[in-house]
Amino acid sequence: MNTDQTSKTLGRPREFDTDQALEAAMQLFWRKGYEGTSLTDLTEAIGVNRPSLYAAFGNKEELFRQVCDRYAAGPASFLFQALELPTARAVAERILYGTVEVVANPHTPAGCLSVQGALATADDCDAVRRQLSARRVAFEATLRARFERAKSEGDLPANSDPADLARYVVIAYQGMAVQAAGGAGQEALRRIVDMAMRAWPA
């Protein structure tokens, strides 16, 4: 290889697979949270330098947004699939038992990427907290609408409150994610779901 060819080769930005890069970033954010993940962590995990990272994904906050979209469409997709089930009880069971399978899966980081990310405390993480809060509020509203439909169809008792039920499921989901991040296993979390479903309106 002559000098000109060598120069061109060395000067060419390192190419990488965007899908693989997002997967690596998702695993990192999932394990360490938004605040706990540094740009150095990201460049090392993805295998690129900072200019290449910025060129591909923008800043850290934008990369995290794309990772959250990937998480919602992948590991957390059961949340949205559950909404299509025929009864409100089936919806709640699928969300809660599905949560156990994801947050305490021995083959993936413990806990929930969204919950872990929301635990950021630094002032410059406000935008991330707002993003995650908006996602949670949107899902809770969608879940409430699903339970309102169930009530109108007679699938839930007339005295049930769809908003309270949606909040109940979301809080249970988040609580189990925190417990799993602290070491709780699937068996212990399934017992929690069993108790939660015993309180479901008959």
Side-chain angles (χ1 to χ4, degrees), residues 60-124:
K60 178 183 172 184
E61 182 184 324
E62 173 60 20
L63 173 56
F64 185 69
R65 185 194 64 75
Q66 293 183 48
V67 161
C68 286
D69 289 341
R70 182 183 182 87
Y71 183 77
S77 61
F78 71 94
L79 294 171
F80 305 95
Q81 294 166 358
L83 300 171
E84 304 302 320
L85 294 174
T87 67
R89 183 182 183 88
V91 170
E93 285 182 331
R94 179 69 187 103
I95 289 173
L96 296 181
Y97 285 114
T99 295
V100 173
E101 294 171 8
V102 171
V103 302
N105 185 334
H107 303 295
T108 59
C112 168
L113 182 146
S114 298
V115 174
Q116 296 290 91
L119 298 178
T121 58
D123 291 341
D124 60 358

Side-chain angles (χ1 to χ4, degrees), residues 123-185:
D123 291 341
D124 60 358
C125 295
D126 281 346
V128 170
R129 282 194 293 270
R130 288 196 299 271
Q131 176 200 151
L132 293 171
S133 178
R135 289 174 185 264
R136 179 192 58 76
V137 169
F139 178 72
E140 186 175 319
T142 302
L143 188 56
R144 181 181 68 244
R146 175 64 184 86
F147 291 158
E148 286 171 347
R149 176 164 68 85
K151 183 176 179 178
S152 70
E153 294 171 348
D155 178 43
L156 283 170
N159 64 349
S160 61
D161 187 319
D164 285 346
L165 289 174
R167 192 170 302 114
Y168 175 72
V169 171
V170 169
I171 288 173
Y173 168 94
Q174 293 178 319
M176 288 194 295
V178 172
Q179 289 293 308

